[in-house]
Structures are given as structure tokens and as C-alpha cells.
Amino acid sequence: MTTEPDATQPSADLHPDTVAIRSGRVGDATSLAPVLWPTSTFVSPSVDDARRYATSVGADRFYSRYGNPTVTGFEDAIAQLEGAEAARAYGSGMGAVTGVVLGLCSAGDHIVAQRQLYAATQLVFQAMCPRFGIDVTFVDGTEPGAFAAAVIPGKTTLVFAETPANPRLDVIDLDEVGAIAGPVTVVDSTFGTPVLQQPLKHGVDLVIHSATKGIAGHNDATLGVVAGSKELIDWLWGFAVLQGAVASPFDALNATRGIRTLPVRIARQSASALALAEALEANPAAAEVRYPGLASHPQHELAARQMSGFGSLIAFDVAGGLDAGRRFIESVQIAQHATSLGGPETLVTHPASTTHVNLLPEELAASGIGPGTIRVSVGLEHQDDLIADFTQALAAASA
């Protein structure tokens, strides 16, 4: 009879491809598919048992805001993939971000965050944190030493990075972030996925994912996850129970299913993304193509050093600005216009009108987002078909 690896410990001796298949199965008994526990509450055998569950961290057979066996399986899988002691799932990626920020920071604390961020995360730091008396300093995350230089000893509680960053794919030095002593260091690794990079191995304290994206990978789940030491995750669990941004068992099941194919999906998507990025770079109608796998990317060498692959995201500017960008978006035939990433379909997004629409013009400019900037999430279609589609759409945009 085969035995299951201990779901609470990293599988350092296994490749990520194997961990993706083997992890998160402890509660599944003999079922090969993840088992769904759709219940919101559980019967307690006795009053003493109920008291023990109610006062235990992570009890997953008491009340599903505290924990749920299907969600626990997903959390265990992420913990193993990230080489973490534990993980906590949330109802969305932003639920995870706000859960970390408000779970760790209080009035009078200070946060250092990079300017290159997903817009909703930026607004948490820029608009929400000041309401709670939390100060935030923004730095250029690509500038060596910028994070450490902004830390205020005894006051800075959190250092927050995102790499590769949304939408321009700036790459942040994980070793540099992990070496900062004092505050808790956090990296949003959504674009990297646990298959392409593991920030915890670089000394970072916590890693965040919007598992809605590449991890679940089929556009049928909405959830987030944080992984790190058991001590930190236990602390965050206490706030998460009060915050209530609970991961749905249905979404957790879909995400666990997505994990099973994550390595092969991201390998195919990365190969297609590189081919498409090279074709775009050779097309005069596309300007400033950003893909970490291109030698022209400003942090290409850094990406090659800390990532095992370059991912499925590309950013570029359509020559001609907003009108040309609109014509491009409305001319693609295989790619589809939608605001997400990491799924099997290739998606194109105009960040200034969607993901970053709430930023002021000067904030867009500071993030490198122009009126013709396009973000591409490369899917699983044949790369030759994608290249042909983008070529004809760029021709239409230039007409």
C-alpha cells in the first residue's frame, strides 16, 4: 500500500511536477479526485469537543469559516509546492492581500511597498491603509537597495513586493527582499506561480497568490492563498476568522484540480509566450515588448536566476496610443478580451481601462502604463495561431 507524503512538511526531495500530483490528498482517503465537503457546519460529538474545535487553530470539522477539509487539502498542496510549513486560503486574491495587511499591521505602523503593483493592491496601500493610521512608503522595486533603504527600524512592520509585477512584468530581486531583517517580508507571486519561483526559499516570510489565476487555471474558481511559517499562518488565521474572506470549498476543489496540471500548463504557456513575445518584438506595430524571457527585458538576467521559467504574461504598447490599442483589442479573433489571466484561453486586457482604471494619469505613468499598453495572458492555443492572430490585429490597429 502506498503512503502519502506528510502534507504538513515540504517535499524537498520531489520535483514540483510530482508534488503537484501527490500533494493535498490526506483527507481524500482512496479517492483520486479531490473530495468535496460542501457543508457550512459540522456535528460536534460532545460539548467538550465543540469547545476544543472552537478554540483550536485551523479546525476543519467545526464551522467552515474556521476551516473545511476540502479547503485544507488545497492549503496543504500550496504549502508543499511553496516549501512552506502552512498555508491559509481566502475567498479571493484581494482577500489574501487585505488579510495579510490588516492581520499584521496596526495604527502607527509603517509599510514599504513597491510602486509596480496590481492596482487593487496599490489602492489598499494608498487609500485604505491611511484610514487605519498605517503609513506607506512606495519605492521603485527594481532599484537595488530601495526596499531596505525605506525601512524605518522599530516602525516598519511589513515589506510588500510583487514579482513579476502587474502589468509591466517588472522583476524584483527576491534575495534582496528576503535579506531584510525586522519587518515581515511578503511577495505576491501570482504571475510566477509556485512552479516557476518559490520566494520562501529566498528568505521571504510570506508568499501570496491570487489562486483564481494560474493555480486554478480554468477561470472557474475565485480564491487567494498565503503560505509561510506555521507561526505566521496561525496568527493570520485568527484575523481571517474575523475578517470572513472565506475560501469556498467548491473553489478550493477546482483549484486543487488545477494544481494537478499546473506544471504542464505553465510549461506550454511559457513556451508559447516566448514565441509570441519574439514575434511582437519583431513587429514595428508593437512597441516596448515586455517579457522576462526576452534578452531585452530590463531584469532578464535576474529573472533567469530566480525563476525556472518566464511565465505566461506579456505586456506591450500598440504604436498609436489609445485608439490603436482599442482597435487591436477589438480585432483579435482567437484571443479574447477579458480581465483575468492564467486560464486555457489567451486573454488580452487594456490595463488603463480595466485593471488599473482607478489610478490617476500620473499614477499610471509612474507604473509605466500608457494609453496603448496591452497585457496578454497566453493560453493553450497553438502558438502559430496566436502569432497569426496578433499579426492581423496589429495590422488592423495600424490601418
Side-chain angles (χ1 to χ4, degrees):
M1 180 177 179
T2 58
T3 58
E4 182 68 30
D6 184 350
T8 65
Q9 296 297 325
S11 298
D13 56 332
L14 298 177
H15 292 84
D17 310 58
T18 306
V19 176
I21 298 297
R22 294 291 296 153
S23 59
R25 294 180 179 271
V26 166
D28 295 342
T30 58
S31 174
L32 285 176
V35 174
L36 176 64
W37 290 72
T39 184
S40 61
T41 192
F42 298 78
V43 174
S44 296
S46 69
V47 171
D48 288 342
D49 285 323
R51 179 181 178 84
R52 178 166 55 84
Y53 298 151
T55 55
S56 298
V57 173
D60 63 3
R61 284 171 173 78
F62 173 61
Y63 185 63
S64 281
R65 180 159 52 88
Y66 287 61
N68 176 284
T70 306
V71 177
T72 297
F74 166 70
E75 292 168 340
D76 288 346
I78 291 295
Q80 283 201 315
L81 281 169
E82 287 289 1
E85 292 179 349
R88 170 70 184 184
Y90 294 77
S92 68
M94 288 310 301
V97 170
T98 56
V100 168
V101 172
L102 297 182
L104 295 176
C105 300
S106 304
D109 286 342
H110 175 246
I111 295 172
V112 177
Q114 69 194 63
R115 293 192 187 95
Q116 305 93 332
L117 287 170
Y118 174 49
T121 304
Q122 182 173 337
L123 289 172
V124 166
F125 293 130
Q126 188 173 293
M128 188 180 77
C129 284
R131 292 178 54 206
F132 291 91
I134 302 168
D135 296 326
V136 180
T137 297
F138 289 99
V139 301
D140 182 349
T142 65
E143 180 183 336
F147 285 106
V151 170
I152 303 172
K155 183 175 174 66
T156 303
T157 304
L158 193 70
V159 172
F160 193 101
E162 179 182 313
T163 186
N166 189 352
R168 298 289 293 178
L169 299 163
D170 299 279
V171 177
I172 311 306
D173 192 326
L174 291 174
D175 287 331
E176 182 178 303
V177 174
I180 297 173
V184 175
T185 52
V186 184
V187 168
D188 184 332
S189 187
T190 297
F191 278 20
T193 80
V195 172
L196 299 183
Q197 64 184 20
Q198 293 83 38
L200 303 184
K201 294 182 179 178
H202 296 262
V204 173
D205 296 312
L206 292 170
V207 58
I208 291 178
H209 294 279
S210 173
T212 307
K213 311 303 194 297
I215 288 174
H218 293 81
N219 297 320
D220 59 2
T222 303
L223 75 168
V225 67
V226 181
S229 69
K230 187 176 186 303
E231 180 182 13
L232 277 174
I233 297 302
D234 283 356
W235 178 269
L236 291 173
W237 176 88
F239 180 80
V241 169
L242 301 178
Q243 178 197 20
V246 180
S248 158
F250 295 91
D251 289 340
L253 181 142
N254 283 342
T256 303
R257 181 200 60 189
I259 286 172
R260 303 292 180 239
T261 61
L262 175 58
V264 293
R265 284 189 289 107
I266 200 67
R268 168 66 178 267
Q269 290 168 320
S270 296
S272 295
L274 178 58
L276 179 58
E278 290 173 340
L280 289 170
E281 199 167 46
N283 191 320
E288 199 177 349
V289 180
R290 282 290 194 98
Y291 181 67
L294 292 175
S296 59
H297 189 285
Q299 294 93 41
H300 170 68
E301 293 184 3
L302 173 61
R305 186 170 74 243
Q306 67 187 25
M307 300 178 73
S308 62
F310 299 109
S312 63
L313 277 296
I314 303 171
F316 69 97
D317 290 328
V318 179
L322 178 59
D323 288 340
R326 180 184 292 111
R327 288 195 297 271
F328 172 83
I329 288 282
E330 295 175 356
S331 296
V332 290
Q333 298 173 1
I334 293 174
Q336 299 180 71
H337 183 205
T339 304
S340 193
L341 57 101
E345 303 88 1
T346 294
L347 304 180
V348 292
T349 301
H350 183 249
S353 299
T354 53
T355 58
H356 291 69
V357 69
N358 292 316
L359 299 187
L360 298 173
E362 57 269 27
E363 293 168 343
L364 288 170
S367 298
I369 301 170
T373 298
I374 304 294
R375 190 191 72 189
V376 184
S377 172
V378 177
L380 296 173
E381 303 92 345
H382 196 284
Q383 64 186 41
D384 292 348
D385 295 332
L386 291 175
I387 291 170
D389 187 31
F390 276 62
T391 300
Q392 66 82 25
L394 284 169
S398 303

